[in-house]
């Protein structure tokens, strides 16, 4: 199945047979304690929003997170517009990127 992982895209492009492992969460240690959240929608049980509720400031963590996400939305969209496999370091990049430029430029 298609992936946003650049390594996976490169291996798929050359037809490499690789056993891919899936993970279902992340664990992080920091001064206030350990937290683990599940990969997937942030609002699912065990998702990132649960972590913010536990470690964030009362009533503020989720609001700050939502504000940050809205603020960086154009950046996220622009960073995910170009598939890594079409990025090149030569003049041919203009040809491989041209079909993605209208979408990229629409992000302002």
């Amino acid at each position: 199945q298609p992936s946003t992982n650049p390594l996976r895209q490169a291996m798929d492009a050359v037809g490499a047979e690789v056993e891919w492992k899936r993970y279902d969460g992340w664990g992080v240690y920091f001064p206030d304690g350990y937290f683990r959240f599940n990969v997937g929608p942030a609002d699912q049980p065990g998702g990132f929003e649960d972590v913010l509720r536990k470690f964030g400031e009362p009533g503020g963590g989720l609001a700050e997170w939502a504000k940050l996400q809205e603020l960086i939305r154009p950046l996220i969209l622009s960073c995910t517009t170009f598939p890594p496999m079409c990025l090149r370091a030569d003049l041919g990049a203009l040809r491989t990127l041209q079909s993605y430029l209208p979408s990229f430029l629409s992000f302002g």
Side-chain angles (χ1 to χ4, degrees):
Q1 75 185 27
S3 174
T4 57
N5 181 321
L7 176 59
R8 173 79 182 258
Q9 290 178 4
M11 299 302 271
D12 289 347
V14 298
E17 296 288 328
V18 178
E19 180 184 352
W20 297 100
K21 301 283 186 181
R22 290 195 165 275
Y23 55 90
D24 63 355
W26 290 91
V28 178
Y29 289 93
F30 66 108
D32 293 336
Y34 172 81
F35 70 84
R36 182 184 192 288
F37 62 93
N38 298 331
V39 172
D43 59 350
Q44 283 188 342
F48 191 64
E49 289 183 6
D50 281 351
V51 172
L52 287 175
R53 281 186 202 93
K54 182 176 180 181
F55 292 102
E57 305 242 342
L62 284 174
E64 290 175 355
W65 177 247
K67 186 176 179 180
L68 176 62
Q69 284 184 305
E70 188 59 35
L71 184 68
I72 65 172
R73 183 169 171 71
L75 176 63
I76 293 169
L77 292 172
S78 64
C79 289
T80 58
T81 297
F82 301 112
M85 291 298 293
C86 79
L87 301 175
R88 306 168 46 161
D90 63 6
L91 289 176
L94 296 175
R95 190 165 46 149
T96 59
L97 295 174
Q98 73 184 14
S99 64
Y100 302 98
L101 285 175
S103 178
F104 177 75
L105 295 172
S106 74
F107 300 132

